[in-house]
Amino acid sequence: MRIGIDLGGTKIEGIALDGSRELARLRVATPRGDYEATLDAVARLVRALEERTGASGTVGVGIPGTLSPENGLVKNANSVWLIGRVLAADLERLLDRPVRIANDANCFAVSEAADGAGAGAEVVFGVIVGTGTGAGIVVRGQVLTGPNAIAGEWGHNPLPSPTDEERPGPQCYCGRYGCIETFLSGPGFQADHERATGHRLAAPEIVAAACAGDLGATAALERYELRMARALASIINLLDPDVIVLGGGMSNIDRLYESVPMIWGRYVFASGAGREVIRTRFARARHGDASGVRGAAWLWN
Ligand SMILES: [Zn+2]
């Protein structure tokens, strides 16, 4: 049995998997700001899953951050009470077994590559576009981490091929301007629509307004599609994945799966090749919100 834990900023979710089959799933609120209580909540969740299923399991944990390759301490986490902690060693001591920990976007990519929209593909680029824009890379079933533990972190690259209106672009929390995340995240999309129209709408409301024929919303959605196509074309040029799997809140926009691949060919390197088809697939995540916790379980693969 594989147990996966998704240690989020507001909730901690746990799942027990037998192969692809879900045996049990539980969630508790995250004890925000309290490291010891967070450890305890994870340990209790693991024990509850084992009681529920009557079996013991391997444990993988997805976190909103990563472990420093230098010293194993948590870094880049927006759940700041985890930063600088020896999370793996502390959990291993509490659970009395080895624990594998990975970034939550990497867990998403692992899940979708294992038995989701990227199953059977050799190279999977798994993207989560919601509050932020994270991503993970899985090659032949193995997640790429890299010496800096940032493989796949495309969201803080500048938006490719910017127009004059897109330069320098909105300020990002990372300190730079015009990061991909400032355009493609849900809040980025909302801000772009508001800058152009003066109306503050949530992302799903903008999409609904575009469907109803609103011109400002339609223009915002078209700008969004063009930007996503440019951002993903740069990934295709670099990695040439078999499939790009989209998750997160923005993955619910149905028309992206048709419109974005119709545009990205203009930006993919194909000198003199004319109308050659880009073979990379663009697919919606199969496991939806459960991809993170499932991927944490699949870290023992
Ligand atoms: Zn940034």
Side-chain angles (χ1 to χ4, degrees):
M1 182 172 81
R2 296 185 178 101
I3 291 174
I5 302 289
D6 185 13
L7 208 180
T10 54
K11 64 174 168 50
I12 305 174
E13 191 160 22
I15 199 170
L17 292 182
D18 174 18
S20 290
R21 194 163 60 94
E22 179 179 325
L23 302 174
R25 204 192 313 189
L26 298 167
R27 69 164 58 170
V28 296
T30 304
R32 292 182 62 83
D34 188 337
Y35 180 67
E36 297 298 331
T38 301
L39 290 178
D40 193 49
V42 171
R44 273 188 285 123
L45 212 47
V46 169
R47 277 186 223 110
L49 287 165
E50 294 190 326
E51 267 168 38
R52 185 83 58 105
T53 55
S56 63
T58 56
V59 176
V61 182
I63 61 169
T66 190
L67 300 186
S68 161
E70 205 171 299
N71 50 28
L73 305 181
V74 176
K75 67 167 187 174
N76 292 354
N78 55 16
S79 299
V80 290
W81 63 96
L82 301 178
I83 289 178
R85 301 291 191 159
V86 282
L87 183 61
D90 288 339
L91 285 176
E92 287 177 347
R93 185 170 37 78
L94 275 177
L95 293 166
D96 201 26
R97 76 194 85 180
V99 172
R100 290 185 179 168
I101 295 180
N103 171 261
D104 50 9
N106 284 4
C107 289
F108 167 81
V110 166
S111 165
E112 291 295 326
D115 63 353
E122 196 172 340
V123 178
V124 177
F125 189 68
V127 196
I128 303 182
V129 185
T131 321
T133 52
I137 301 167
V138 176
V139 179
R140 297 184 194 106
Q142 295 298 310
V143 67
L144 289 188
T145 308
N148 305 296
I150 54 169
E153 290 293 351
W154 69 317
H156 297 278
N157 282 352
L159 184 72
S161 311
T163 62
D164 287 343
E165 297 78 56
E166 290 166 342
R167 259 187 308 246
Q171 188 168 17
C172 184
Y173 73 86
C174 76
R176 302 208 175 117
Y177 289 84
C179 292
I180 287 171
E181 178 163 315
T182 67
F183 291 103
L184 292 192
S185 67
F189 176 49
Q190 292 165 30
D192 178 72
H193 174 263
E194 188 177 349
R195 279 193 298 273
T197 65
H199 297 301
R200 178 171 297 196
L201 294 180
E205 294 170 336
I206 301 168
V207 175
C211 287
D214 179 271
L215 292 181
T218 301
L221 194 49
E222 286 173 353
R223 284 193 298 277
Y224 186 84
E225 290 166 330
L226 180 58
R227 287 164 180 162
M228 181 173 269
R230 280 186 265 151
L232 291 178
S234 72
I235 296 298
I236 296 174
N237 282 340
L238 185 72
L239 187 65
D240 202 2
D242 296 272
V243 56
I244 295 173
V245 182
L246 184 61
M250 301 302 278
S251 72
N252 295 318
I253 305 176
D254 290 324
R255 58 183 255 181
L256 295 180
Y257 303 95
E258 241 180 82
S259 58
V260 171
M262 277 169 54
I263 303 167
W264 69 22
R266 282 186 244 156
Y267 300 93
V268 171
F269 174 57
S271 176
R275 297 169 135 283
E276 197 172 336
V277 174
I278 306 300
R279 297 161 63 109
T280 299
R281 287 190 295 122
F282 189 36
R284 184 199 299 248
R286 180 182 294 169
H287 297 299
D289 290 343
S291 276
V293 72
R294 292 178 69 94
W298 281 110
L299 291 176
W300 289 89
N301 190 11

